[in-house]
Amino acid sequence: MVACIFVLFVSAFVFAFFTKAILHSRLIRSHIEEYRREYEREGVLVEAITLLEEKGREFVAKDIPSRFAPSYTFTIAGDTITVKTSKAEVLRAWIRWEGNRVVVVMAENEFVRPFSR
């Protein structure tokens, strides 16, 4: 009888431990995936800014495929740069020129609305 209770207690403890470990690993994977997506979005934004600085103030373009992250496109229009996937807009940045450099004034995505610097 005591052995049965002990086995049940140990098995419940092992089950709880592995359940928490599995949930923790899922949480870590989801954070890593979100960091990867943010890295891609920021890379596409930097690519768009670099292209804009090379082409000049008057450059306007729509749905340029990204070389940095092929699943993204970006649009440069006036004082905004918009980054999109095939599904939706994922990042919008408001920019201004300071001399020959483009500076991001404010950026927003589906999680952070807005981020200002």
Side-chain angles (χ1 to χ4, degrees), residues 21-33:
I22 289 170
L23 290 175
H24 182 72
S25 67
R26 287 181 183 170
L27 178 68
I28 295 298
R29 265 189 256 124
S30 67
H31 282 340
I32 289 170
E33 182 63 24

Side-chain angles (χ1 to χ4, degrees), residues 34 38 41 90-92 94 106-116:
E34 184 55 37
E38 281 298 315
R41 292 171 187 166
V90 293
L91 177 77
R92 179 172 290 206
W94 284 265
M106 182 173 64
E108 69 179 25
N109 61 27
E110 66 266 22
F111 300 112
V112 180
R113 296 194 189 267
F115 168 74
S116 296

Side-chain angles (χ1 to χ4, degrees), residues 33-117:
E33 182 63 24
E34 184 55 37
Y35 286 129
R36 185 191 61 75
R37 283 194 298 263
E38 281 298 315
Y39 175 77
E40 288 177 346
R41 292 171 187 166
E42 289 177 17
V44 173
L45 179 61
V46 168
E47 179 183 5
I49 289 170
T50 303
L51 180 66
L52 183 57
E53 287 176 345
E54 289 173 1
K55 299 289 185 174
R57 293 177 189 264
E58 304 303 318
F59 182 71
V60 175
K62 184 172 181 174
D63 295 331
I64 299 172
S66 172
R67 289 177 285 155
F68 180 77
S71 60
Y72 292 88
T73 62
F74 58 89
T75 300
I76 300 171
D79 64 344
T80 61
I81 296 174
T82 307
V83 178
K84 301 179 208 169
T85 62
S86 59
K87 299 175 189 173
E89 178 181 306
V90 293
L91 177 77
R92 179 172 290 206
W94 284 265
I95 58 171
R96 73 168 181 252
W97 284 88
E98 289 184 0
N100 293 333
R101 291 185 55 227
V102 174
V103 176
V104 176
V105 177
M106 182 173 64
E108 69 179 25
N109 61 27
E110 66 266 22
F111 300 112
V112 180
R113 296 194 189 267
F115 168 74
S116 296
R117 187 183 101 171

Side-chain angles (χ1 to χ4, degrees), residues 3-19:
C4 245
I5 293 173
F6 180 72
V7 168
L8 282 174
F9 178 73
V10 169
S11 63
F13 177 76
V14 168
F15 177 76
F17 175 77
F18 283 116
T19 301

